[in-house]
Amino acid sequence: MTDTTTVDPESVDQRSRPDKKAARSGGGGLFRTFWRWHFYASFLVIPVLLVLASTGLVYLLRFQIEPLLHADLMKVDVPSSGTRLSYDAQAASLLKAYPDGRIAAVLEPSDADRSTDFSLSTAAPGTPSWEDDTIREVYVNPYTGEVLGELDPNKTVSGYAKNLHSNFMAGDLGAYVMELGACWAIVMAITGYYMYWRGRAARARRKAARAAGAALRHKHATIGLFVGVGLLALVASGLPWTIWWGAKAQELATSQGTSFWSEDPGAQSSAPTLDASVPHSHAVPWGEGKSTVPTSEGTAASRSTADQIGFDGAIETANVRGLHHPMTVIPPADEKGVYSVIGYAFNEPGHESALHIDQFTGKPVAEFGYDQYGALAKVVGQGIALHEGRRFGTANMVVSGLFCVAVMFMCVAGPLMWWRRRPKGASMGAPRGRLSLKAGPVAVVGLIALGVGLPLFGASLVAVFALDQLVLRRVAPLRNFFNVA
């Protein structure tokens, strides 16, 4: 049983009314207010963070997980000669096995014992790749040309993880919930830091006394000290992806002459953007996603696919220009299109580049890379690389993986602490406290500023206050259940 005679904020029995002296001083009362916000925010934040952390961990390790699960498709035996077939020969072998297919992209093998990954579409010509649901990843042995098999990129473990991570696989509604949960995660982190600082003495005493639940609370607070920093960083770097804030912030940036993305200065046509040309299973550098794709120069009606430079010619040109491997090559969609070669530079965002090559002459039509990004696009690109655990190579991946595990621990430890101290009867056992301008002016102003900067969060904040004032405080059973001060 918790000792209610002490005024330590963390040792106050939440089934009793707050200590009046502490409330007047703004100490224990403000602590309980922050605790209350932390408690109720968790109902939205914990499910969102649990999904984000678990799916993020899977996606982070996708290059290790998928080859283990699909070794028969993704791994090959290296012959003693070590000689690979040309990409055009591999493509011919693929189309022989899939005569009705159309190659949408080819990804170079990342290592000698890896197969070549072809994106194959059976959709009607002209269908944008980003809405092509027929895309399949077909794997070819680069040494023999044997077609090893296919996968639906949306139905792999990492495919499910990616789709869950973006919107819970629930369309726009899921994307809004995800964004709202990320916004409230900021509140969780800030209130958590306040509680860590104000409650440190009480936690130390309870741990020394070996009080029930003290060890778990200490771990929750200590791990949270580090998780909060990463959480704030990941939320900030993930906001450009969000359905509402990301879109509105990009509109604002565009009106000021800048952009989250960058425009391709070499694009002269009204062709689709690069991210609309690339199959959804392949990554496009963030800064290049909205760059438009130019046309081939000097095309002639008498020319045919036999006159094209092919995948090998495109890669040879890209090699001369110094693009990073492994490259992704997108073939022309029609007689006016280009070969677009993407050097993603996975661990080095500053080296990523896209080269558009005339399909008949093999001459570069346009090249667009990190150096052409605007300042804002460079910052966002670096932030996203950090978010995806690839900015600093293996070290970044290891730290990001540990962070995901720590977040999952926090998502379990929090509800477990509540379960152990939950009261009997019709009550949630929520901490009792009320935020006021007099008791916490900085907190009130900060909350308003956060609501203005993140309007979706601000709208939810208005809804929470309206529910509190118009419903919870006026209906006695609800007032008691939610422990309204």
Side-chain angles (χ1 to χ4, degrees), residues 90-110:
Q90 295 178 53
S93 178
L94 170 65
L95 292 177
K96 185 177 180 180
Y98 293 87
D100 297 327
R102 174 173 55 87
I103 296 176
V106 58
L107 175 62
E108 289 186 301
S110 58

Side-chain angles (χ1 to χ4, degrees), residues 29-84:
L30 189 57
F31 181 96
R32 284 187 289 273
T33 299
F34 272 60
W35 192 357
R36 183 177 180 84
W37 280 80
H38 195 81
F39 177 83
Y40 279 118
S42 69
F43 283 86
L44 172 64
V45 175
I46 284 179
V48 171
L49 286 187
L50 196 54
V51 171
L52 288 178
S54 55
T55 57
L57 182 61
V58 171
Y59 194 68
L60 181 71
L61 300 175
R62 63 194 181 281
F63 297 121
Q64 289 74 35
I65 293 173
E66 296 300 346
L68 286 175
L69 296 177
H70 307 288
D72 57 326
L73 302 180
M74 297 183 177
K75 291 189 175 183
V76 296
D77 294 325
V78 182
S80 57
S81 65
T83 303
R84 293 179 179 176

Side-chain angles (χ1 to χ4, degrees), residues 21 29 35 37 90 116 151 178 217 227 270 326 330 368 435:
K21 181 178 179 181
W35 192 357
W37 280 80
Q90 295 178 53
T116 305
L151 288 174
M178 193 76 74
R217 178 170 289 182
V227 166
S270 58
I330 302 95
F368 185 55
L435 185 63

Side-chain angles (χ1 to χ4, degrees), residues 40 60 80 103 191 243 257 312 320 326 350 365 412 423 462 485:
Y40 279 118
L60 181 71
S80 57
I103 296 176
T191 55
I243 186 171
D312 295 287
V320 173
V365 177
V412 173
V462 171

Side-chain angles (χ1 to χ4, degrees), residues 28 81 92 172 176 203 207 231 263 271 281 286 361 365 387 483:
S81 65
D172 287 351
Y176 279 112
R203 282 196 310 276
K207 185 182 178 185
L231 192 60
E263 291 294 331
S281 55
W286 174 266
T361 67
V365 177
H387 184 102
N483 209 19

Side-chain angles (χ1 to χ4, degrees), residues 102 104-105 121 126-135 274-281 330:
R102 174 173 55 87
S121 170
T127 303
S129 291
W130 56 270
E131 62 179 23
D132 184 355
D133 293 330
T134 72
I135 289 287
L274 186 59
D275 62 355
S277 302
V278 180
H280 51 78
S281 55
I330 302 95

